[in-house]
Amino acid sequence: MYLRRLRDLREDHDLKQKDIAKLLGIHQTVYSRYERGFQNLPLEFLVFLADYYNVSTDYILERTNSPDMK
């Protein structure tokens, strides 16, 4: 699954892939695969990133256009 919003959120916060990879405790190349949809994002990373960016998981998954957490 291609998660365009992962990239958008990261760039909106002026972060590099290596910055997010470090937060997740993974290599930058692995994180890059998540953003490009070549590898599935683990659920615990999805929840962590939603909390980190203060958005809902549905927003990251593009199930809603509202970033607000409900």
Side-chain angles (χ1 to χ4, degrees):
M1 173 185 296
Y2 171 61
L3 299 175
R4 174 185 58 206
R5 289 212 170 120
L6 280 181
R7 179 180 175 182
D8 292 344
L9 285 165
R10 177 178 55 77
E11 289 178 346
D12 288 347
H13 288 81
D14 296 322
L15 297 167
K16 305 251 185 247
Q17 286 183 346
K18 68 178 181 177
D19 300 323
I20 299 301
K22 185 176 180 179
L23 286 173
L24 298 175
I26 59 176
H27 291 281
Q28 177 273 326
T29 54
V30 174
Y31 182 76
S32 175
R33 289 184 214 134
Y34 297 150
E35 278 194 2
R36 295 180 294 144
F38 294 142
Q39 192 168 333
N40 288 331
L41 180 69
L43 182 59
E44 66 262 21
F45 290 170
L46 173 64
V47 172
F48 177 87
L49 291 172
D51 289 344
Y52 181 78
Y53 292 124
N54 199 31
V55 298
S56 69
T57 56
D58 281 347
Y59 181 74
I60 293 175
L61 295 172
E62 298 186 37
R63 296 183 62 192
T64 182
N65 288 325
S66 174
D68 299 329
M69 297 179 76
K70 295 181 182 179

